Amino acid sequence: MSGLSPFATTMAVGCVALSLGVLLTEPLRRFALRRGITDRPDGRKGHARPTPYLGGIAVAVVTIGAGAGAAFAGGFGNPGLAVLLGGAAIMAVLGLVDDLRPLGPAPRLGVEAAAASVVVLVGGHPTVFGGVFDAVLAVLWIVFTTNAFNLLDNMDGAASSVCAAIGGFLCWHAWSSGQGGLGVVLAALSGASLGFLFHNWHPARIFLGDSGSLFIGFTLASASVVLHQDAAGLSVPAGLLVTTLVVTLDTALVMLSRYREARPLLQGGLDHAAHRLRRMGLTVRQTVMVLGTFAALGGLSGALLAWGVLPSGGLLLAAVVVGVTTVALLLRVPSVPGPAPSAAPVGEDGHPAVRLSVGRQMVGQTAGVAEGLRSKEPGPLHESGAAG
């Protein structure tokens, strides 16, 4: 494809990846159903029937396949791209193992940090303070964003929609900065995510699984760090923050909410931005469209920053203001499903007349509302259950 323009190459790769994403997901869904590789409903999940995992495998195979072709094609090959693809493949395998036999936080974070370290050492990193501290920050950012996508994958279509939006603008950035191989990878990732979305759009017939959410999070985070390797000063935090603003805000919202309510920080729950938007009256599809639009605006801002259209200081300030305001507003929405309990009636003696039946009624209301939301969050660092 080296004879084609960047736009034509992007469109061709994206369309092929979209088609393959649609086609490969269905046989994986059937295989998962036959093998019983499914996310089964329980008290903390909104879906009513067992839903297969493994959708992320289709996204990973298509993306890595396109990247491998770009890595060995004339004018595209570079060691940084090969390392990025290798690290992303490791994330897919790590997530698949976690889908089949849940892992603890330590082994997951250890593998993620090791893969991120290789990407930073070979592919480069931005400069903020100078010295080895910048490399450490880059590794931490990749690990954080990888897991933030895993946490974001809590509603039908959410993670794949956000991935398609961010990946599209990062692809644009890659081509404009002369990194055509990375542009091909990002075009394939966006296309494959859209293809998978045909099966994952509400009501979902298959979930990404941790294999998918960790893969897309690691790929986007690593690509963003590599694309900013020549950046310095305020343009670094501004570019990285606005590009991944949706996932960063969602994680910040969840951690702050659980800390304030003295709940375990890594324990799953229906307290994400998507769940709060649902409680504000939006449907699942409307919620996903809001998240996708927000992600697209962040990706566009990051691209305009890279081209010098937007000032780094002003953009960073705007991102912080928008982020703090958004989190503050969403914190006002109840973190627990169901209406707030009414005041207890007062008895003749002036003391509250507490009835045991009230607790049972609240449990029933909470379970009823939870059926309308899909959350696959069974445990620590496993927010999306099978991350679908």
Side-chain angles (χ1 to χ4, degrees):
M1 294 184 185
S2 58
L4 299 178
S5 67
F7 177 78
T9 301
T10 299
M11 292 302 296
V13 171
C15 289
V16 172
L18 188 151
S19 300
L20 291 176
V22 173
L23 295 174
L24 291 180
T25 301
E26 180 58 24
L28 286 169
R29 187 186 74 86
R30 296 181 180 181
F31 174 81
L33 285 174
R34 287 196 303 268
R35 298 289 184 175
I37 308 174
T38 58
D39 186 10
R40 300 184 180 280
D42 62 29
R44 289 179 296 172
K45 302 177 183 179
H47 56 291
R49 60 185 180 184
T51 304
Y53 297 144
L54 301 187
I57 297 299
V59 177
V61 167
V62 172
T63 304
I64 294 173
F72 294 103
F76 286 120
N78 66 77
L81 179 61
V83 167
L84 190 152
L85 290 172
I90 291 173
M91 290 302 104
V93 174
L94 175 68
L96 179 60
V97 172
D98 200 25
D99 286 332
L100 300 177
R101 187 185 296 270
L103 302 171
R108 281 183 51 161
L109 291 174
V111 174
E112 292 165 3
S117 298
V118 178
V119 169
V120 169
L121 289 175
V122 178
H125 58 80
T127 300
V128 180
F129 303 102
V132 69
F133 191 54
D134 287 338
V136 174
L137 287 178
V139 171
L140 292 176
W141 178 257
I142 292 175
V143 172
F144 167 80
T145 306
T146 299
N147 287 286
F149 262 96
N150 186 240
L151 303 186
L152 180 72
D153 188 24
N154 52 64
M155 186 171 287
D156 294 350
S160 50
S161 297
V162 170
C163 173
I166 296 176
F169 282 103
L170 284 179
C171 173
W172 196 1
H173 184 180
W175 279 109
S176 65
S177 61
Q179 300 193 48
L182 187 54
V184 169
V185 171
L186 292 167
L189 177 62
S190 296
S193 296
L194 288 176
F196 169 75
L197 194 57
F198 278 83
H199 302 271
N200 188 235
W201 193 246
H202 183 73
R205 300 170 62 241
I206 186 172
F207 298 154
L208 270 174
D210 280 356
S211 60
S213 61
L214 294 180
F215 174 83
I216 63 177
F218 183 89
T219 303
L220 291 175
S222 298
S224 185
V225 167
V226 171
L227 286 172
H228 288 86
Q229 62 180 305
D230 296 326
L234 291 179
S235 63
V236 177
L240 294 179
L241 178 60
V242 297
T243 301
T244 59
L245 191 58
V246 171
V247 292
T248 301
L249 291 187
D250 181 66
T251 300
L253 171 68
V254 169
M255 295 296 108
L256 181 58
S257 173
R258 294 173 186 176
Y259 175 78
R260 291 176 58 189
E261 298 172 8
R263 293 186 289 123
L265 297 182
L266 301 181
Q267 179 64 50
L270 298 174
D271 52 358
H272 289 268
H275 302 131
R276 295 172 193 257
L277 290 173
R278 287 281 286 117
R279 290 183 202 114
M280 293 172 62
L282 298 183
T283 65
V284 172
R285 296 182 180 184
Q286 289 171 340
T287 297
V288 172
M289 291 178 67
V290 168
L291 295 177
T293 301
F294 207 137
L297 290 175
L300 176 60
S301 299
L304 293 177
L305 172 66
W307 299 329
V309 177
L310 295 177
S312 58
L315 183 59
L316 180 59
L317 177 61
V320 171
V321 170
V322 170
V324 171
T325 302
T326 301
V327 170
L329 291 175
L330 289 177
L331 281 174
R332 297 183 178 184
V333 181
S335 62
V336 179
S342 58
V346 178
E348 296 180 356
D349 58 356
H351 296 285
V354 181
R355 298 179 180 178
L356 293 178
S357 60
V358 173
R360 296 191 182 97
Q361 291 172 6
M362 288 302 299
V363 171
Q365 291 171 355
T366 301
V369 175
E371 282 296 319
L373 300 172
R374 182 175 72 77
S375 174
K376 308 176 292 306
E377 307 183 274
L381 271 183
H382 211 271
E383 289 267 344
S384 54

